[in-house]
Amino acid sequence: MKRKGEEIGSQPIAAVVMPSSDDILSWDATQDMMQQLLETYDNHQTIEKRKEMIHGIESNIVSLKEAEEIIVTEGESIVSEISEKIQECSENSSQEEKNLKEQQKHIDNLEDEVNDIRDSIDEAKETEVELRRKIQHYKELANEKIEEMDEVELQKKEEVYRLQTQISLHAHVTGIKWDYEDIDSLKGEIDIPSKKVNKRFDIPKEDKSDFELVNNFWTMMEA
């Protein structure tokens, strides 16, 4: 710390025009001298302030450089972390893209299967319609056949009834009871009340004509 008056002593003495001892100083001259001294002192103060400002600026510049280095270091660290995150995200994105492609492929396969199933269903529906048409046609044919069979059965029943009536009448007239279980021969029982004859008969059909069989019957009845 400078002592009082040291600053003035350390500075060069300004050139001040001093009157000679013979001259008498006027008030104006004295004021001029004082003004010159004050200006010299003010200039010295301004220089010191400027030096202090420059020193402060230099200190600020150093601080700013240190702060800049810190910011750069932190920025590089942040950039490195961001790069790592970007790399990690890129790898994850690639894996997700791969998974999405596999899922899309699986979906495409499922869509193909669905389309195949739809085609099969359409074909099955067409087949079902055709089968229903055929079933209806066969039902109509079956109904016609059933009607024909019913008609034939009715005719057969009528024919059987007619034959039964004829056989019954024939049995009553001839007195013959036929045994229909044996188809290879004519078997039965004959009853002739007028002759009090009741006997069984068995006439083979083999190698005999209808005429011969009838003659055998008449011969048996007359015997």
Side-chain angles (χ1 to χ4, degrees), residues 87-122:
Q87 181 66 25
E88 182 180 355
C89 291
S90 178
E91 292 175 356
N92 293 335
S93 177
S94 299
Q95 184 63 34
E96 289 179 358
E97 184 178 0
K98 182 179 179 181
N99 293 335
L100 287 174
K101 287 182 179 179
E102 292 178 354
Q103 292 178 0
Q104 184 63 43
K105 183 178 179 181
H106 182 63
I107 290 171
D108 293 338
N109 292 333
L110 290 177
E111 288 180 351
D112 292 338
E113 291 180 2
V114 169
N115 291 330
D116 292 339
I117 292 172
R118 285 177 178 172
D119 293 339
S120 299
I121 290 173
D122 292 337

Side-chain angles (χ1 to χ4, degrees), residues 21 26-27 29 46 55 68 91-92 94 96 125 163 168 196 218:
S21 59
S26 64
W27 176 249
T46 301
H55 180 70
E68 182 182 4
E91 292 175 356
N92 293 335
S94 299
E96 289 179 358
K125 287 182 178 179
L163 292 174
S168 177
K196 297 181 181 180
W218 284 112

Side-chain angles (χ1 to χ4, degrees), residues 159-217:
E159 181 67 17
V160 168
Y161 178 75
R162 185 181 65 80
L163 292 174
Q164 286 178 345
T165 302
Q166 289 180 355
I167 291 172
S168 177
L169 180 60
H170 183 270
H172 179 71
V173 172
T174 60
I176 299 174
K177 293 181 181 179
W178 296 99
D179 185 358
Y180 297 104
E181 293 181 359
D182 192 351
I183 61 175
D184 295 328
S185 62
L186 298 176
K187 286 184 179 182
E189 182 179 347
I190 187 169
D191 184 17
I192 305 174
S194 61
K195 295 183 178 182
K196 297 181 181 180
V197 175
N198 188 305
K199 60 181 177 180
R200 294 189 61 81
F201 61 88
D202 185 357
I203 303 173
K205 294 180 180 179
E206 187 177 1
D207 298 331
K208 289 184 179 181
S209 64
D210 293 341
F211 180 77
E212 292 175 338
L213 291 173
V214 171
N215 284 334
N216 288 335
F217 268 111

Side-chain angles (χ1 to χ4, degrees), residues 134-151:
K134 289 182 178 180
I135 289 171
Q136 183 63 31
H137 176 67
Y138 291 142
K139 280 183 177 180
E140 293 175 357
L141 291 178
N143 290 331
E144 292 177 0
K145 293 295 182 181
I146 289 173
E147 290 178 358
E148 292 178 0
M149 291 173 64
D150 290 341
E151 185 176 353

